[in-house]
Amino acid sequence: MNAFIVIAIGIEWKKHRQLQSSDQILMCLALSRLSLLLMTLATNFLLTVFPHLQFHTNEFGMVMRLFFSNTSIWFGTLLSVFYCMKISTYNHSLFMSVKTRISKFVPWLIVGSLLASLASSLPIGWCVFTQNSLVSSNITLLANVLNFSNLFLIYNIGSSLPLVLCCVSVVLLMKYLWEHTRKMKESGTFHNPTLESHFRVLRSMAFFFFLYVSYYIIVNLTTTGVVRHDSPWIILCSIFTSAIPVLHSAVLIFSNSKLRRAFQSLFCLPNNLLTQG
């Protein structure tokens, strides 16, 4: 799914020599998820072929996987905020100012998302490195205490801001579409293709928010040790967290008209199937 998004937007970029702001965010989102997959495969391969490098491979691989996971979350949140600002209309000076300028800010917002992801990934890697050093020095109790408190604090600080931004964008867009739909019903012009596309965007945003909240809870449970790594539940947690990028990318394809048409032409699917999706 993510490779398809990258290829489809890349073809669009080559054809028109430029990308829309939403396509720029989509491209970065898909690339971050592909990088996460490739980094996971590379780490597992190195651990299998070179088991004597387990310590260094685990440290580096964990930091890089966490970085790409955070960038995926930030880019998904940025996409939700962008859609909210472009679709919604509120008579507030600050809102209107951001709405008219957000397309110009997208490259800077992408860079800011990368820096925020890096800032929240490196400290966690340092905490794990410190814990492993203490464990190797037989200070196991202190290592566990430091690991629990530091990881819990750092992860929640780094993840709370995109979670709040995603929640606010979904609520604002939902409120706007609810009021807009009510006005259209009163005027007798409810059936509007543009409004239907806006609702598809809202569904994809709400779905991403649901997945993000679920991911946030699961990562907290596994990071803080509530769900131990030798527990059978860790398998279900791993399956769910790995499936989140695929599920959200599939929803993004079906809610985006250009990607939906490209997907239909690639796999020769009937148009009514994708429209219903």
Side-chain angles (χ1 to χ4, degrees), residues 221-234:
L221 292 176
T222 55
T223 303
T224 57
V226 176
V227 178
R228 298 177 59 86
H229 290 278
D230 56 354
S231 170
W233 290 102
I234 197 67

Side-chain angles (χ1 to χ4, degrees), residues 3-273:
F4 169 79
I5 293 176
V6 173
I7 294 173
I9 297 179
I11 293 173
E12 190 77 11
W13 189 3
K14 182 179 180 181
K15 184 185 300 182
H16 299 287
R17 300 297 179 182
Q18 62 179 0
L19 284 179
Q20 297 180 358
S21 298
S22 58
D23 290 338
Q24 295 176 25
I25 303 173
L26 276 171
M27 173 75 87
C28 293
L29 176 61
L31 284 174
S32 65
R33 289 173 172 173
L34 276 178
S35 301
L36 175 61
L37 173 62
L38 293 176
M39 179 55 61
T40 302
L41 292 174
T43 302
N44 292 335
F45 174 78
L46 290 176
L47 288 175
T48 304
V49 178
F50 305 105
H52 60 281
L53 298 177
Q54 181 174 4
F55 178 78
H56 300 287
T57 304
N58 273 337
E59 298 294 333
F60 178 76
M62 189 212 66
V63 173
M64 293 304 297
R65 289 196 303 271
L66 184 60
F67 170 73
F68 289 125
S69 176
N70 287 339
T71 55
S72 174
I73 292 173
W74 269 104
F75 288 143
T77 301
L78 179 57
L79 187 65
S80 297
V81 172
F82 179 82
Y83 281 147
C84 174
M85 299 303 299
K86 298 300 288 186
I87 295 175
S88 306
T89 301
Y90 289 98
N91 294 324
H92 192 279
S93 58
L94 179 60
F95 186 91
M96 295 303 299
S97 177
V98 176
K99 179 182 176 68
T100 55
R101 294 178 173 85
I102 190 170
S103 295
K104 299 178 181 179
F105 292 157
V106 164
W108 294 103
L109 293 173
I110 291 175
V111 174
S113 299
L114 291 172
L115 294 177
S117 301
L118 185 63
S120 59
S121 303
L122 290 180
I124 293 182
W126 175 255
C127 289
V128 174
F129 177 81
T130 304
Q131 181 207 15
N132 291 337
S133 299
L134 291 174
V135 170
S136 63
S137 303
N138 295 325
I139 315 179
T140 308
L141 179 60
L142 177 59
N144 290 334
V145 172
L146 287 174
N147 184 54
F148 178 85
S149 58
N150 292 339
L151 290 181
F152 182 80
L153 179 62
I154 295 173
Y155 176 77
N156 281 278
I157 291 176
S159 302
S160 58
L161 181 57
L163 181 64
V164 171
L165 290 175
C166 183
C167 178
V168 171
S169 62
V170 170
V171 171
L172 286 178
L173 183 58
M174 188 179 300
K175 181 176 181 295
Y176 169 76
L177 290 179
W178 176 271
E179 295 176 351
H180 189 62
T181 302
R182 181 172 53 84
K183 292 179 182 178
M184 294 188 68
K185 280 185 176 181
E186 294 174 355
S187 62
T189 57
F190 178 71
H191 296 288
N192 189 324
T194 303
L195 186 61
E196 293 177 0
S197 66
H198 290 171
F199 272 108
R200 282 199 298 268
V201 172
L202 176 60
R203 285 195 294 268
S204 69
M205 289 170 56
F207 187 67
F208 171 70
F209 178 69
F210 167 75
L211 292 177
Y212 185 15
V213 171
S214 304
Y215 179 83
Y216 181 83
I217 294 173
I218 291 175
V219 171
N220 267 290
L221 292 176
T222 55
T223 303
T224 57
V226 176
V227 178
R228 298 177 59 86
H229 290 278
D230 56 354
S231 170
W233 290 102
I234 197 67
I235 300 177
L236 293 178
C237 294
S238 300
I239 292 174
F240 185 80
T241 53
S242 300
I244 284 177
V246 180
L247 294 174
H248 184 231
S249 298
V251 173
L252 287 176
I253 290 173
F254 294 145
S255 61
N256 186 290
S257 57
K258 291 187 298 184
L259 293 178
R260 189 170 63 247
R261 288 194 297 268
F263 193 84
Q264 175 193 1
S265 61
L266 179 63
F267 294 100
C268 301
L269 297 176
N271 185 49
N272 58 348
L273 177 63

